[in-house]
Each structure stands twice: as C-alpha cells, then as structure tokens.
Amino acid sequence: MEKRNVPKHIGIIMDGNGRWAKQRGLPRSEGHKAGANVFRKICDYADEIGVKYITFYAFSTENWRRPPEEVSALMDLFRAYLREAEERQEENREKGMRIHFLGHREGVPEDILALFDTTEEESKDADRIDVNIAINYGGRLEIVDAVKKIAEKVRNGEIEPEDITEDDISNNIYTAGQDDPDLIIRPSGEYRLSNFLIWQSAYSEFWFSDILWPDFTEADLDKAIDDYNNRNRRFGGV
Ligand code: IPE
Ligand code: IPE
Ligand code: MG
C-alpha cells in the first residue's frame, strides 16, 4: 500500500451516544459511557498511527440545555473518568499523552476544574501526542474570550487596535500554539459543526458518516484518513 499521509491534527465530534442507547432500549447515560470507552480506544489508536494533535468534542456550551439528569450524568462521567486516569498516571506518562482541556471554565463544577488542572499539570512533559478534550467548549465563546484578552492588551497600551492580526486571535484562543485541524470527523449522520473549532477549521477537510460514536472503530478512523488522502487541499491556491 502506498504510504498514506496521516493528518497532523484531527478533530472529532463524538456524536450519537443518545441514539445508540435508544436503539438498545438503554438510558442515554449508557450511551455516554459506551462513548467514553470509544474515546479511549480511538485516542490510543491515533497515537499509534502518529497523529500529533487530536481534539475530542465532549460537551458543548449548548449542551447545558439538556435535561438536568443528563447534564449531571455527563459531569459524573467526566469526574469518574478523570479520577480513574489520575490513578493511572504512570501508565499515561508512558503513553506520552499531553492532555489539554479546551473550554470556558465558568460553569464547570469546581472539583472537575481541579481535576482538569492536575491532569494537565501531570501530563505537561509528555511529548508524543497532544490530546485536547473540549468540555464546556463553544467556538463562538472561545473567540469572545480571545477578543476580551486582546481588548485588555489594547487597554493596557500593549497593542494598537490597527495592529491586531489573525495571529493575535490564533494566539489567544484555547488551542494557542497548536496547528489547526487538518481533518474534522463527525459521525451520527449530522452535517454540521455545532460550534466546534469554528476559527481553526477555516481550511479543514470534513468527513461525515452515519456511524454512531459508540460504534466507531479504528477501521473507521482509517477510512476517514484514506478519504482525506484523496482530497486536494488548495488553501485558495491553484
Ligand atoms: C454526543 O452524543 C455526546 C454529547 C453531546 C455530550 P449525543 O448525546 O448528542 O447523542 P445523540 O445525538 O442524542 O444521539
Ligand atoms: C455536538 O453534539 C456536541 C458534542 C458532541 C459534544 P450535539 O448533539 O450537541 O449537537 P447538535 O445539538 O445535534 O447540533
Ligand atoms: Mg447529538
């Protein structure tokens, strides 16, 4: 087989957990649990094939609109997952995964924020793959947060408004310092971004599929990468 070009940064919208559970007559929370296991598996596989950055969309700023039972089931799942990962620190370090949480901190329970901080701190020296987990993430809010930081610099006289560039935005969003996603994957049959990486995806390639996230396999990731290899990225050129 011809050597394929593995995207440096892949973004994944982990969608379809609820429908997966419904198909099985299970509560939606069971779909989220199944989805979390797939997250683990795909994260390991991405590392294995040489992906450098991977961003998983786990909870959007709009997901607070869901029934309180579902929101709290999701928060419980994040909490349990992060506590468990904390116990396996050594193993995680060996895996070389540097974890970042992307999102707006306000609104997230304090104990979960503390788990974000310790997880990031403990993994900060890992250098094989950067794993971004987007929780309480919204692309528009991310841009608003960046604009506020830049406005503060203007107020302090550090920068003139006419000198603001695209790089200033890129350097003040949650993914500052990372390459933009080359490929964005959305399973579950929806054809939209739902406020995911809207600044960063200006020139991303998109891959959609009807597979529900808990059914997503390594072979599906391979298929997405193979299709990506047949795309012609022009970036506005010829
Ligand atoms: C994605 O699955 C998980 C989150 C948004 C937290 P959904 O819960 O949106 O699953 P569907 O879309 O209802 O099937
Ligand atoms: C997008 O899925 C958010 C996550 C997967 C975390 P949603 O299920 O919330 O998106 P919509 O509501 O169908 O656009
Ligand atoms: Mg959904």
Side-chain angles (χ1 to χ4, degrees):
M1 200 178 94
E2 220 179 295
K3 202 175 167 342
R4 62 179 183 166
N5 165 25
V6 174
K8 191 166 181 189
H9 186 170
I10 299 180
I12 303 184
I13 301 173
M14 303 189 286
D15 198 17
N17 297 348
R19 280 163 282 176
W20 182 91
K22 192 169 182 212
Q23 280 177 353
R24 286 159 180 76
L26 297 168
R28 294 178 59 87
S29 57
E30 288 302 315
H32 297 314
K33 275 188 205 158
N37 292 332
V38 174
F39 156 82
R40 221 180 246 123
K41 185 176 78 175
I42 295 300
C43 197
D44 286 346
Y45 187 61
D47 176 34
E48 193 183 303
I49 62 178
V51 172
K52 288 290 154 203
Y53 301 96
I54 188 156
T55 303
F56 292 94
Y57 202 6
F59 191 89
S60 74
T61 47
E62 289 71 34
N63 288 147
W64 298 106
R65 293 178 189 150
R66 295 187 178 202
E69 315 81 71
E70 180 167 352
V71 170
S72 65
L74 281 161
M75 293 299 144
D76 288 346
L77 185 64
F78 298 147
R79 196 176 277 119
Y81 191 95
L82 291 169
R83 281 192 189 140
E84 199 210 317
E86 205 170 35
E87 282 159 23
R88 290 183 291 123
Q89 265 178 58
E90 201 54 47
E91 187 187 319
N92 292 334
R93 239 195 302 275
E94 276 163 29
K95 281 187 181 168
M97 290 182 182
R98 180 161 48 209
I99 316 288
H100 311 271
F101 293 92
L102 310 186
H104 193 74
R105 289 177 68 95
E106 216 172 291
V108 178
E110 284 296 333
D111 68 308
I112 295 184
L113 290 175
L115 285 162
F116 287 177
D117 294 342
T118 49
T119 307
E120 285 183 343
E121 178 60 29
E122 278 154 13
S123 69
K124 72 176 191 317
D125 297 324
D127 58 4
R128 251 211 345 261
I129 182 169
D130 284 280
V131 179
N132 297 323
I133 307 173
I135 294 178
N136 197 21
Y137 174 89
R140 288 186 171 183
L141 185 56
E142 175 178 42
I143 295 169
V144 169
D145 283 344
V147 167
K148 283 182 182 166
K149 286 203 246 168
I150 296 166
E152 194 56 42
K153 288 180 195 164
V154 170
R155 178 159 63 188
N156 297 338
E158 290 168 51
I159 183 173
E160 294 299 327
E162 57 273 24
D163 294 335
I164 296 170
T165 62
E166 291 185 9
D167 281 345
D168 288 312
I169 303 282
S170 294
N171 294 335
N172 284 286
I173 52 179
Y174 310 140
T175 52
Q178 303 188 3
D179 289 7
D180 287 338
D182 302 291
L183 172 65
I184 291 186
I185 294 175
R186 181 165 196 162
S188 93
E190 310 297 351
Y191 298 85
R192 54 177 172 262
L193 273 178
S194 302
N195 208 6
F196 185 52
L197 303 180
I198 56 174
W199 173 270
Q200 298 89 331
S201 63
Y203 270 102
S204 302
E205 296 295 329
F206 293 92
W207 193 81
F208 297 102
S209 136
D210 288 342
I211 304 155
L212 302 174
W213 176 249
D215 289 326
F216 197 91
T217 64
E218 290 93 336
D220 296 315
L221 185 63
D222 279 332
K223 177 79 176 72
I225 294 174
D226 288 345
D227 289 348
Y228 168 84
N229 273 263
N230 291 321
R231 306 281 177 90
N232 182 359
R233 302 185 78 190
R234 284 185 289 276
F235 298 101
V238 287

